Structure formats: structure tokens, C-alpha cells
């Protein structure tokens, strides 16, 4: 059942987007008078997540209506974009379609890129709901092609929309890429709400890929980020996501704390999707704890609620849960009837993985009932939908082959049982059946050899991957201490090298005044500057903290000086692009250099001489190159 909870939780979080915690004002939620500044204030507060969409829907409707009546064109377009998002959250899809059709043809909208993109973000999410995904695919391609043409804040809107679309279409690697790029921009622009959004998308993607450690880490980041805002819906979704991940890791007590926090909001705003997922989770927890009677009642209630709200995934998931409860109660006929009912409407499931998991459970049930033909059919369909899921999520061919072999192995087991039964009943067919078994065994052996070879190949690639990871500083995306020392030893065995140690001046002050996040951006800026400056024959790596080790091919003092002068200018240029730093802030570094020569073949000695020179540079006032 954890697999269902995992996959369906992520679907829920793809279906709702951002808003904020804020209770309705005790005063009339409508604007009392057509005051332009009051209208602007409401629009800005909702857009900046100081007000919750659903809890303040009347205020937003009023701002939308008044701005139109008063002819405040700029405010009205912005209110209309937010109103489209409100319609999406309220699941008023027909009204939303008419609204988008009207405003996306508005000639003034093309002059407001950010507002236009807010409309397109809502449109892409609404198109993703359709059975025909071609319009959504075309719009996503259009947005992808335009990313480079937009400002930072506009790019954040595009990445939010794309992350939503990618997740809903199983393109999880693209989800991670879009979320990580969007997160970097959101951090640079101090867009807290979008940071939380991308953290949650990353957490949901890793949870869906069953990487629980990363999923928990990013889910907690999403929670802490949203708790610093007034964004009620996103905070609740972050609670919900973290709660379900913890539940799958058997941390029931902490999971329930977060789930109950989320439930309080969903009940307050009467969100149908939230309520169906809530009841499913409660029923599933009761099922896992062995409270089958209570779980059965809750599952039956949720089937009706999901069906009336048109939430197909939750309707089917709750029916499957009900069937599993009947199995635990030894009511196999009732379980079989519910299972057959699901089978008849299985196409209502939105994802291949849901169908694959259903057919896996159907196979087990049909085997219990000795319905061999239906069990065969179920196992074949599980293979089909599992492969379809792996194709959709761009998993490697080896993983698809592993699943194919696992299913094939189960299929062969069934066939062997059938042949044994035929042998006992029809002795005349013994020779024929033995030949079939031999052929099946040979097939299994062949598959085993093939899979073994593929696994060996995969392990070889994994070892190389881990070696690269062990030698890489993942923050700066360059060699780490181990990597650069290994490179230095290799080069020193072949030729003379020059060793330089660079220390970023007053780096601790940057961390203390601006925070470690900005400090990390400075380290990244230096690494990027070094990559741009060094020749292809030179190497560098992060030696530790803010210290860097350079391995240079030249032993010419003039060339070395010129290289570090160029590096200093490039480093300053990159730092100027860090928004959080003061624009006139001088960013410098100190360098100690040890020139290589034929008599000096010890890396330890070269590093020691460079370190002594660095000490002298710092003693002399920093921001200089000392050559030993």
C-alpha cells in the first residue's frame, strides 16, 4: 500500500498550486469603495503570498470586478491573471476556459510579460488535466523555447509551469532539472514562496523515484521555507508531502502530526481533492494498523466522495484499498468483485505505474482464487504498463530488462505448476511437457546470463560514477582536495609543475554579513572565473573552505602574474552578478606560488613553499601574488 500512497500523494500535489495562510478579515471582504490604492494593495498582497487565494477569494473577486468597472487597465490585467489561478483552485474549469480565452487575446497583455506568463502558467496546468495532452505539450515547448528571452522573475514563472507539467507527464528527470534551475533563480531573487515550491517539487520527484533520504531532506526544506511565509495552501501541501514520506518510512507518529496540520486547512477551505486524499490516507493508516472495520468504512466513504467530485485516481485507489481490506478479512469473493469493478474502468487511472501496481495486486488475488487464466492476463498487463512507465520516466534499459525478467520468472512458475498438473492428469503428455519445461529453463538461463552481463556492465559504470563523485566538489562543480592532489601527483610524475594556493580575502566576513547561502554563491563565482581563465593545460580544485589549489603548466613568473591578474578581474565580474552583494564591494584574493623546477619533484615540498608564500601575501596586506 505504500506504493499507492507514494504515487497518489504526488498526483495530489501536482493538482493544486500556490496560495498563502491568512484568515478572512472580520470586516466585509469586498472593497467598500472603488479605491485604486486599496485595490492595488489587495492584488499585490495576493501575488506576494501575503493573502491566501481561497480564504480571501471574495477580496480577489472584488478587486477583479472593481478594476474592470473603473477602467484601471494595468491593475485589471494583473487581477485577471490572479483570478484565473483562483478559478483553477476552485476547480471551475469551464469558467476558467472562457476566462483564459478572453484575456489571452487582450492586446494590452503582450506589453506585460510577467502577467502574460501568469496566464500561460494557469493555462498549461489546465491543459494538463485533459485526456489529449498535445495542446499542453505544444505550450510547454513554446515556453521552453522562450526561457532565455525573459528576466529572472519571468523565468521563475516559466520553470514553475514546466515543473508542474513535467511531473504530471512522468518526465521526472525534467522535473528535477526545471525545479533546480528555478530554485537557483528563486534564491537569487529572494522569492521565498517559489523557493518552497521548487523544494517541494524536488522532494516529490525523489519520493516518486523512491529515493527517501533526498525526499525527506527536500520536503523538510519546503516546510521550513513555507513556514516563513503566509502561504497557507503551499504550507499545507508541504506538511502533507513530508507526512506521507515519513509514513512510508514507518515514522507514523511524526507523519500524523504533519498530516493533521494539512487536514485542518483542507477542511477549512472545503477542498475536494484534499479531502479525498485525506480520507484515503486515514483509511490506509487504519488498514496498515490492522483496524480493518474502520478502514473499510472510511474507504467506502471516500469512493463516493471521489466519484461525486470526479477525482478518478482517488476513486480507483480507494476501491483497490477496499478490495485489499476484504482480502485481509478473508472475504475473497467480495474482494474479487471490487477488483473486477476496478478492472472495467482501469483506463480512468492517469498513470501507467498505477495500472502496473493494480495488475500486480490483481495477479496475487487471482492466484489465491486459482483463476489461472486471469492471473496470466494480469501478469502480462503488469509487464506492459511497467515497461510503459519506465519508458515514460526515461529509466535505463537495464531496469526495464530487470522488471521484464522478474515478471517472466513469475510467468514461468505458473506454467510449471500447470504442466505438473497436466502430468498427473494426462500421463500421455509427459514427454511433450518435459520438452516445454526444458525450453523454458533454457530461456530462463539465457535471460539470466543476459541480465548478469548487463548488471556487470552497469556496475562498472557505477564504479566510474562514484569515483568521479569522490573527486568532485559538488558545490563549485570542480575537483575537490582528493581530486586535485591526485591530478597534481600524476602531472608531477610526468613534468615540472607550478603549484599555487589561493585564499579568498575576508571570506568569513562575507559569510557573517550576508549568510552562508551568499558565501556559497561567491565560491561558485570564483570556480566559474577559474574555469573561464585557465588554459586547457592547467587545473584547479577546492583545497578546503575558501582555499584553492592550482596546478599550472607554466613556470614563467610573468605568465603566472598575468594569469592571476586576469582571474582577479573575471572573479570580480562574476561577483558583481550576485544580487545579494553590494555593487561596489571589492572581491579579492591572495596567492602563494611555488615554481616547479627539475630539482624539486616533491608535491609536499611545492605545497609547503606555496603555503609559506601565501602566508607572506596575507601578512603583507592581502590582494597580491607572492612567488617563492
Amino acid at each position: 500500500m505504500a506504493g499507492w500512497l507514494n504515487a497518489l500523494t504526488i498526483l495530489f500535489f501536482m493538482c493544486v498550486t500556490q496560495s498563502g495562510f491568512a484568515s478572512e478579515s472580520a470586516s466585509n471582504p469586498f472593497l467598500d469603495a472603488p479605491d485604486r490604492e486599496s485595490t492595488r494593495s489587495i492584488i499585490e498582497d495576493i501575488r506576494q503570498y501575503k493573502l491566501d487565494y481561497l480564504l480571501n477569494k471574495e477580496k480577489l473577486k472584488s478587486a477583479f470586478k472593481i478594476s474592470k468597472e473603473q477602467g484601471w487597465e494595468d491593475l485589471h490585467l494583473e487581477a485577471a491573471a490572479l483570478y484565473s489561478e483562483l478559478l483553477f483552485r476552485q476547480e471551475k474549469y469551464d469558467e476558467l476556459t472562457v476566462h483564459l480565452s478572453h484575456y489571452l487575446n487582450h492586446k494590452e497583455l503582450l506589453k506585460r510579460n510577467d502577467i502574460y506568463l501568469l496566464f500561460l502558467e494557469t493555462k498549461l496546468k489546465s491543459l494538463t488535466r485533459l485526456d489529449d495532452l498535445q495542446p499542453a505539450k505544444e505550450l510547454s515547448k513554446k515556453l521552453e523555447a522562450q526561457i532565455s528571452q525573459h528576466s529572472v522573475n519571468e523565468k521563475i514563472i516559466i520553470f514553475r509551469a514546466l515543473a508542474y507539467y513535467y511531473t504530471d507527464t512522468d518526465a521526472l528527470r525534467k522535473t528535477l532539472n526545471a525545479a533546480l534551475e528555478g530554485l537557483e533563480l528563486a534564491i537569487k531573487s529572494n522569492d521565498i514562496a517559489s523557493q518552497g515550491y521548487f523544494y517541494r517539487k524536488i522532494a516529490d520527484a525523489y519520493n516518486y523515484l523512491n529515493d527517501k533520504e533526498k525526499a525527506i531532506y527536500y520536503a523538510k526544506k519546503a516546510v521550513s521555507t513555507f513556514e516563513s511565509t503566509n502561504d497557507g495552501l503551499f504550507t499545507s501541501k508541504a506538511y502533507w508531502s513530508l507526512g506521507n514520506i515519513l509514513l512510508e518510512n514507518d515514522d507514523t507518529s511524526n507523519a500524523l502530526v504533519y498530516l493533521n496540520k494539512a487536514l485542518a486547512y483542507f477542511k477549512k477551505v472545503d477542498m475536494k481533492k484534499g479531502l479525498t486524499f485525506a480520507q484515503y490516507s486515514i483509511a490506509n493508516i487504519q488498514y496498515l494498523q490492522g483496524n480493518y472495520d474502520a478502514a473499510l468504512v472510511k474507504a467506502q466513504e471516500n469512493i463516493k466522495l471521489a466519484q461525486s467530485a470526479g477525482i478518478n485516481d482517488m476513486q480507483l485507489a480507494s476501491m483497490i484499498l477496499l478490495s485489499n481490506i476484504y482480502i485481509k478479512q478473508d472475504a475473497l469473493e467480495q474482494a474479487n468483485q471490487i477488483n473486477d469493478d476496478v478492472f472495467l474502468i482501469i483506463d480512468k487511472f492517469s498513470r501507467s505505474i498505477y495500472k502496473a501496481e493494480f495488475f500486480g495486486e490483481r495477479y496475487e488475488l487471482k492466484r489465491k482464487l486459482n483463476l489461472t487464466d486471469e492471473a496470466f492476463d494480469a501478469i502480462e498487463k503488469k509487464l506492459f504498463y511497467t515497461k510503459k512507465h519506465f519508458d515514460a520516466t526515461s529509466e535505463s534499459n537495464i531496469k526495464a530488462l530487470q522488471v521484464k525478467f522478474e515478471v517472466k520468472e513469475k510467468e514461468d512458475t505458473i506454467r510449471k505448476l500447470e504442466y505438473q498438473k497436466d502430468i498427473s492428469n494426462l500421463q500421455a503428455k509427459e514427454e511433450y511437457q518435459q520438452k516445454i519445461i526444458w525450453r523454458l529453463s533454457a530461456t530462463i538461463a539465457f535471460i539470466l546470463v543476459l541480465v548478469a552481463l548487463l548488471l556487470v556492465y552497469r556496475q562498472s559504470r557505477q564504479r566510474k560514477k562514484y569515483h568521479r563523485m569522490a573527486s568532485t566538489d559538488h558545490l563549485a562543480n570542480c575537483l575537490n582536495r582528493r581530486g586535485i592532489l591526485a591530478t597534481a601527483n600524476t602531472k608531477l610524475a610526468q613534468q615540472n609543475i607550478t603549484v599555487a594556493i589561493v585564499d579568498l580575502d575576508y571570506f568569513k566576513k562575507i559569510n557573517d554579513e550576508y549568510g552562508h547561502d551568499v558565501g556559497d554563491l561567491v565560491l561558485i563565482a570564483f570556480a566559474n572565473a577559474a574555469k573561464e581563465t585557465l588554459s586547457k593545460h592547467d587545473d584547479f580544485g577546492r583545497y578546503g573552505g575558501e582555499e584553492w589549489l592550482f596546478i599550472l603548466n607554466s613556470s614563467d613568473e610573468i605568465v603566472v602574474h598575468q594569469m592571476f591578474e586576469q582571474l582577479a578581474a573575471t572573479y570580480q565580474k562574476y561577483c558583481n552578478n550576485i544580487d545579494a552583494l553590494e555593487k561596489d564591494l571589492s572581491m579579492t584574493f591572495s596567492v602563494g606560488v611555488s615554481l616547479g623546477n627539475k630539482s624539486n619533484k616533491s608535491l609536499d615540498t611545492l605545497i609547503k613553499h606555496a603555503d609559506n608564500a601565501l602566508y607572506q601575501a596575507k601578512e603583507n596586506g592581502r590582494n597580491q601574488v607572492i612567488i617563492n
Side-chain angles (χ1 to χ4, degrees), residues 285-349:
I285 291 171
Q286 291 170 338
Y287 168 80
L288 294 172
Q289 293 176 341
N291 302 323
Y292 301 129
D293 291 337
L296 187 144
V297 172
K298 189 64 68 177
Q300 289 174 329
E301 290 176 359
N302 210 44
I303 291 170
K304 294 179 181 178
L305 177 61
Q307 189 173 15
S308 66
I311 306 172
N312 295 327
D313 284 315
M314 282 315 323
Q315 177 190 347
L316 289 168
S318 299
M319 292 173 71
I320 293 167
L321 176 58
L322 181 60
S323 176
N324 288 333
I325 294 169
Y326 281 135
I327 292 173
K328 291 293 186 181
Q329 294 178 329
D330 292 327
L332 295 184
E333 290 302 325
Q334 290 172 280
N336 189 48
Q337 181 60 56
I338 297 295
N339 191 277
D340 286 344
D341 290 343
V342 175
F343 178 74
L344 293 175
I345 56 174
I346 192 66
D347 286 339
K348 287 188 175 182
F349 256 142

Side-chain angles (χ1 to χ4, degrees), residues 451-468:
V451 171
L453 290 173
L454 289 170
L455 287 174
V456 168
Y457 171 71
R458 184 185 183 188
Q459 288 172 352
S460 175
R461 293 188 62 184
Q462 286 289 81
R463 282 195 295 269
K464 292 179 181 179
K465 174 184 175 182
Y466 292 144
H467 178 72
R468 287 195 303 272

Side-chain angles (χ1 to χ4, degrees), residues 29-41:
F30 289 90
L31 299 175
D32 296 325
D35 184 335
R36 183 183 178 92
E37 288 309 311
S38 297
T39 304
R40 180 187 298 279
S41 177

Side-chain angles (χ1 to χ4, degrees), residues 498 500 552 554-565 591 593 595 625 627:
T498 291
L552 307 177
S554 175
S555 58
D556 187 321
E557 290 191 28
I558 296 176
V559 171
V560 172
H561 268 289
Q562 289 175 344
M563 188 278 291
F564 281 112
E565 287 176 2
V591 188
V593 181
L595 298 176
V625 180
I627 297 180

Side-chain angles (χ1 to χ4, degrees), residues 238-249:
Y239 287 150
W240 190 267
S241 182
L242 178 56
N244 278 290
I245 297 170
L246 293 172
L247 185 60
E248 291 168 23
N249 281 271

Side-chain angles (χ1 to χ4, degrees), residues 270-288:
D270 192 28
M271 182 177 287
K272 292 293 190 295
K273 284 188 175 72
L275 290 174
T276 57
F277 277 80
Q279 291 200 159
Y280 174 80
S281 294
I282 294 170
N284 189 53
I285 291 171
Q286 291 170 338
Y287 168 80
L288 294 172

Side-chain angles (χ1 to χ4, degrees), residues 306-503:
Q307 189 173 15
S308 66
I311 306 172
N312 295 327
D313 284 315
M314 282 315 323
Q315 177 190 347
L316 289 168
S318 299
M319 292 173 71
I320 293 167
L321 176 58
L322 181 60
S323 176
N324 288 333
I325 294 169
Y326 281 135
I327 292 173
K328 291 293 186 181
Q329 294 178 329
D330 292 327
L332 295 184
E333 290 302 325
Q334 290 172 280
N336 189 48
Q337 181 60 56
I338 297 295
N339 191 277
D340 286 344
D341 290 343
V342 175
F343 178 74
L344 293 175
I345 56 174
I346 192 66
D347 286 339
K348 287 188 175 182
F349 256 142
S350 62
R351 292 172 176 271
S352 299
I353 188 61
Y354 303 161
K355 298 175 185 178
E357 291 181 357
F358 163 72
F359 281 115
E361 295 185 11
R362 182 174 173 83
Y363 158 74
E364 297 292 343
L365 176 58
K366 296 300 180 180
R367 286 297 299 151
K368 286 179 182 290
L369 295 169
N370 202 28
L371 300 174
T372 307
D373 289 341
E374 293 180 59
F376 266 120
D377 179 70
I379 210 72
E380 288 175 357
K381 284 184 169 62
K382 178 182 179 180
L383 170 60
F384 172 78
Y385 285 113
T386 302
K387 185 178 183 300
K388 191 173 182 180
H389 168 66
F390 284 136
D391 290 342
T393 53
S394 303
E395 291 290 345
S396 63
N397 291 332
I398 180 64
K399 190 164 188 178
L401 284 172
Q402 286 175 323
V403 173
K404 185 175 181 180
F405 170 71
E406 178 184 351
V407 175
K408 180 69 175 175
E409 187 178 48
K410 291 179 180 178
E411 181 180 321
D412 289 338
T413 300
I414 297 174
R415 291 188 184 276
K416 287 180 180 180
L417 291 173
E418 287 191 331
Y419 293 144
Q420 290 172 3
K421 182 178 179 181
D422 289 341
I423 288 171
S424 63
N425 295 330
L426 302 168
Q427 293 295 328
K429 295 183 179 181
E430 181 177 357
E431 181 178 355
Y432 170 76
Q433 293 170 348
Q434 287 176 344
K435 289 180 180 179
I436 295 296
I437 292 173
W438 182 86
R439 290 173 183 172
L440 288 171
S441 299
T443 301
I444 293 173
F446 174 76
I447 294 174
L448 281 170
V449 172
L450 177 62
V451 171
L453 290 173
L454 289 170
L455 287 174
V456 168
Y457 171 71
R458 184 185 183 188
Q459 288 172 352
S460 175
R461 293 188 62 184
Q462 286 289 81
R463 282 195 295 269
K464 292 179 181 179
K465 174 184 175 182
Y466 292 144
H467 178 72
R468 287 195 303 272
M469 291 174 63
S471 300
T472 301
D473 183 278
H474 296 287
L475 173 65
N477 193 24
C478 66
L479 293 173
N480 60 14
R481 183 186 184 95
R482 176 188 294 182
I484 190 62
L485 288 176
T487 300
N489 277 311
T490 300
K491 284 195 169 185
L492 187 59
Q494 301 169 350
Q495 64 188 66
N496 295 327
I497 62 172
T498 291
V499 171
I501 300 178
V502 176
D503 184 87

